[in-house]
Amino acid sequence: MNSTALRPPARFHYAWVILGILAIIQIFGQSISMSAGIMVPELRAEDGRFGWSAGVIGAALAGYYLVGSLTSPFSGRFGDILGSRKLLTAAGLLFGSSMILIGFITQVWQFFLVYSVMLALTSSITIVPLMAAINPWFRRRLGLAIGLMWAAGGLGAALLAPVYSLLLESFGWTTTFVIIGSVGGGLILGLVPFYRNQPTEKGLRAYGATASEQPAATFTPDAAKVRLKIFQKQMRHTRAFWNLPVIHGLGCAGHGIILIFVVDFAVQRGIDFTTGAVILTLVQIFSIAGRFAVPIITEKIGGKPIMATALAIQALSVVILFFAQDVWAFYLFGAVFGLGFGGEMSAYPVVNRQYFGTGPVASVYGLQISGAMMGHCISTVAAGVIIQFIGYEPAFILSMAFSGLGVLIILTLETTKRELIPDWEDQLPPEARTPGPAPATVPPAAAAAGVAFGNVGGDGDGD
């Protein structure tokens, strides 16, 4: 366990540097799923280098979400045991190599290997342990920190899409992805020397922590495994542990259908493709407000009401599509849906703090992201079949049903006003426990007075 003496907090806390690093990671990590939409026209072009069918591309997307669902729990576990700094290095190497390899693919199996496996693993690392990694750095303002990270991811998704498109038009397929992989992977690896897992590694307490609060600690891998085992054993006795992954899966299933098919639906209603693409841009732009605001509000009023509200907005906004004929109606939908969509996904790290305190939460967050990815996978396949054989309206009803069921399950959760397992460390061996608060420092003058006057107040028995 790290025993570095803790320094008094400086005017500028290093937690904000960590936040900046993790925000940059989210910009690239959350742009991975968006990059598929940029690649689709080139992959489908009959006179291009690929000429693949929509079914093949759809299968690759479903594979991406499936692999992400299966690997996210392991990414969270590795983050809790090995520390997020090692996974930051892995994310940089995977992002850089995967993007560069995409530039040289020629066969379908290569695309499945690189996009559906390697980039899915990259995404699970950046979103799970490297989102939860901010938790030990902020005792206060955690909601603000997470809101900024999610907003950075949304901003990256909104801004990198036109950048990727411009690169493809200007330099072609291979050069574009070599540039993306080299710049993105190089930047992530360049941030590793400045990153630390815990405040104690810089001789600091978490931002906002007082001298009487328990400091975050660094544990050996063996001690971390013991802590994780006991922590998960306690968590399994709560409804939140089981229900949060289901809620996240339902929420992502609800907005996944919309994000994949809304542009094509608008085109079917007579909107030109370029104008229809603006719908997704509006969704991303307005999602930034939801991503930023919801964690802050969640920290102040609790997770249940804000999660239910965001998911209800996501569900009810779909009603607009049933009546949308003109461009303004689709744009209105994009704005309202974006607020709910952004808010639906961003509350979970704060809710985990409210339910489970400062324990090793990357693993449980990994389960929640696993549920989210599985929701995307199932909804992508189901909606595609429904649209092909029945039409868009039943698929949109399915989207609303997913989101509405998520709202109902949220209402069954425990209150977020109190921590569910506050005494979980009582079952740990002493070497695996978080150290208690440092004893109060006795001023030299007071110590001298105590020596001089000895037992003036009694005989030393507390009189």
Side-chain angles (χ1 to χ4, degrees):
M1 190 181 301
N2 191 313
S3 59
T4 305
L6 302 180
R7 301 195 303 270
R11 292 178 67 100
F12 177 80
H13 200 287
Y14 201 77
W16 299 107
V17 176
I18 299 298
L19 173 60
I21 292 173
L22 294 175
I24 292 172
I25 304 307
Q26 295 307 312
I27 289 175
F28 287 100
Q30 294 186 36
S31 73
I32 292 172
S33 59
M34 172 274 300
S35 65
I38 304 302
M39 293 187 285
V40 166
E42 182 75 17
L43 294 174
R44 290 199 64 186
E46 294 182 359
D47 57 347
R49 60 190 293 176
F50 302 106
W52 298 339
S53 68
V56 169
I57 299 171
L61 288 174
Y64 167 85
Y65 289 123
L66 178 61
V67 172
S69 175
L70 296 176
T71 58
S72 290
F74 296 100
S75 296
R77 180 177 177 82
F78 291 145
D80 282 329
I81 294 175
L82 301 177
S84 50
R85 192 182 190 195
K86 292 181 179 178
L87 294 185
L88 179 61
T89 303
L93 293 172
L94 274 171
F95 183 89
S97 60
S98 301
M99 284 296 185
I100 290 172
L101 285 173
I102 281 182
F104 295 94
I105 62 172
T106 57
Q107 304 294 323
V108 171
W109 69 267
Q110 295 170 344
F111 184 67
F112 271 80
L113 175 63
V114 177
Y115 186 82
S116 302
V117 178
M118 293 179 65
L119 279 175
L121 179 57
T122 307
S123 181
S124 73
I125 292 174
T126 57
I127 295 178
V128 179
L130 295 181
M131 176 65 76
I134 199 66
N135 194 50
W137 280 92
F138 283 84
R139 187 61 179 169
R140 291 190 302 109
R141 303 289 181 88
L142 178 65
L144 174 63
I146 291 173
L148 288 171
M149 288 172 62
W150 274 114
L155 185 63
L159 295 181
L160 289 183
V163 171
Y164 288 0
S165 298
L166 181 61
L167 288 173
L168 282 170
E169 291 178 359
S170 302
F171 300 105
W173 181 272
T174 299
T175 303
T176 291
F177 285 99
V178 169
I179 292 173
I180 294 171
S182 300
V183 173
L187 180 58
I188 294 172
L189 292 174
L191 294 172
V192 172
F194 304 97
Y195 186 81
R196 298 293 184 273
N197 293 315
Q198 301 276 359
T200 49
E201 294 178 16
K202 292 288 290 184
L204 298 169
R205 295 184 184 275
Y207 178 85
T210 63
S212 61
E213 292 182 87
Q214 293 180 338
T218 302
F219 297 93
T220 65
D222 288 338
K225 289 179 182 178
V226 172
R227 288 174 58 83
L228 183 59
K229 180 179 179 180
I230 297 300
F231 186 68
Q232 290 186 335
K233 181 179 179 181
Q234 294 291 315
M235 282 194 299
R236 291 191 183 100
H237 294 290
T238 68
R239 291 195 303 275
F241 175 81
W242 301 103
N243 287 349
L244 284 173
V246 175
I247 295 166
H248 211 350
L250 291 168
C252 288
H255 65 240
I257 293 173
I258 303 301
L259 294 176
I260 293 174
F261 296 108
V262 68
V263 174
D264 192 58
F265 174 71
V267 172
Q268 298 295 324
R269 287 284 178 98
I271 306 299
D272 66 89
F273 177 77
T274 302
T275 304
V278 177
I279 301 170
L280 286 183
T281 302
L282 286 173
V283 169
Q284 293 294 347
I285 290 174
F286 279 86
S287 79
I288 294 172
R291 292 166 186 249
F292 176 71
V294 163
I296 298 174
I297 300 172
T298 297
E299 189 175 31
K300 292 184 178 298
I301 71 172
K304 281 185 66 173
I306 192 63
M307 289 174 68
T309 300
L311 202 50
I313 292 173
Q314 176 177 291
L316 294 175
S317 63
V318 178
V319 175
I320 300 174
L321 291 177
F322 290 94
F323 305 97
Q325 298 290 339
D326 300 320
V327 172
W328 68 266
F330 283 100
Y331 287 175
L332 174 63
F333 163 78
V336 179
F337 182 82
L339 288 173
F341 156 63
E344 182 276 327
M345 68 173 71
S346 58
Y348 289 88
V350 180
V351 170
N352 287 333
R353 165 69 71 85
Q354 292 172 339
Y355 277 142
F356 306 119
T358 56
V361 295
S363 56
V364 70
Y365 189 52
L367 290 173
Q368 293 158 17
I369 294 298
S370 177
M373 292 287 195
M374 187 59 70
H376 274 293
C377 179
I378 293 172
S379 66
T380 298
V381 175
V385 172
I386 291 173
I387 290 170
Q388 181 175 350
F389 293 102
I390 305 177
Y392 279 100
E393 286 78 3
F396 293 158
I397 292 173
L398 180 63
S399 167
M400 296 176 66
F402 281 138
S403 300
L405 182 57
V407 173
L408 294 178
I409 297 178
I410 288 172
L411 299 179
T412 70
L413 291 172
E414 300 95 335
T415 177
T416 51
K417 296 295 185 182
R418 61 178 178 82
E419 192 173 328
L420 299 181
I421 48 173
D423 302 321
W424 70 274
E425 289 199 53
D426 291 349
Q427 298 186 22
L428 292 173
E431 65 273 12
R433 295 182 184 181
T434 301
T441 302
V442 180
V451 172
F453 293 99
N455 296 323
V456 170
D459 60 6
D461 294 327
D463 294 336

